[in-house]
Amino acid sequence: MDLEVSSMQMILHSGNSRNDSYEAIKLAKQKKFDEANEKIKSSVEELLLAQKEHASVLRDLAESGVMDANLLLVHAEDHVSVSEMSLDMAKEIIDLYMVVGGVKEF
């Protein structure tokens, strides 16, 4: 396992997820709800890729028995966490725009 490559993959996919979440909010603000939901789906897919990479890293570290602190991995884990929160908040914000836009009832 190359910890640096795996950490960068986590950062890449979680960053893509976060970007898609923010794009979804922008689309919802423009009342483009179908497009916003597609961006949310893309965000979920990217986040799953980051989470799978993270799980793989943790599994490999546990099997190796080596648990040295790695700042890049910690940084990557922070990216994944922030992306999870961004996705959750984007879903809520889109729901609010749908309620305000009369597309959905509260």
Side-chain angles (χ1 to χ4, degrees):
M1 164 192 68
D2 187 344
L3 192 55
E4 288 182 9
V5 171
S6 292
S7 296
M8 293 305 294
Q9 287 294 315
M10 290 168 56
I11 292 169
L12 169 76
H13 291 298
S14 62
N16 289 345
S17 174
R18 191 173 56 253
N19 185 58
D20 287 344
S21 294
Y22 292 139
E23 284 294 319
I25 294 169
K26 289 178 186 176
L27 289 164
K29 193 174 187 178
Q30 299 168 7
K31 297 185 179 182
K32 298 178 180 178
F33 300 115
D34 290 336
E35 292 176 51
N37 285 325
E38 288 302 314
K39 282 291 182 182
I40 289 295
K41 288 178 188 175
S42 176
S43 178
V44 168
E45 290 171 8
E46 288 288 339
L47 184 57
L48 284 173
L49 290 171
Q51 291 169 329
K52 286 180 182 179
E53 190 68 36
H54 187 221
S56 176
V57 166
L58 294 178
R59 190 171 32 257
D60 290 348
L61 287 173
E63 288 173 0
S64 74
V66 177
M67 292 297 222
D68 293 334
N70 182 295
L71 290 178
L72 184 58
L73 177 58
V74 171
H75 181 65
E77 290 170 330
D78 286 342
H79 272 269
V80 174
S81 295
V82 168
S83 295
E84 289 170 348
M85 289 185 287
S86 296
L87 176 59
D88 290 342
M89 293 306 298
K91 289 176 181 179
E92 292 298 321
I93 291 168
I94 290 167
D95 279 347
L96 289 172
Y97 275 121
M98 292 176 84
V99 169
V100 169
V103 176
K104 185 177 183 179
E105 289 191 28
F106 186 62

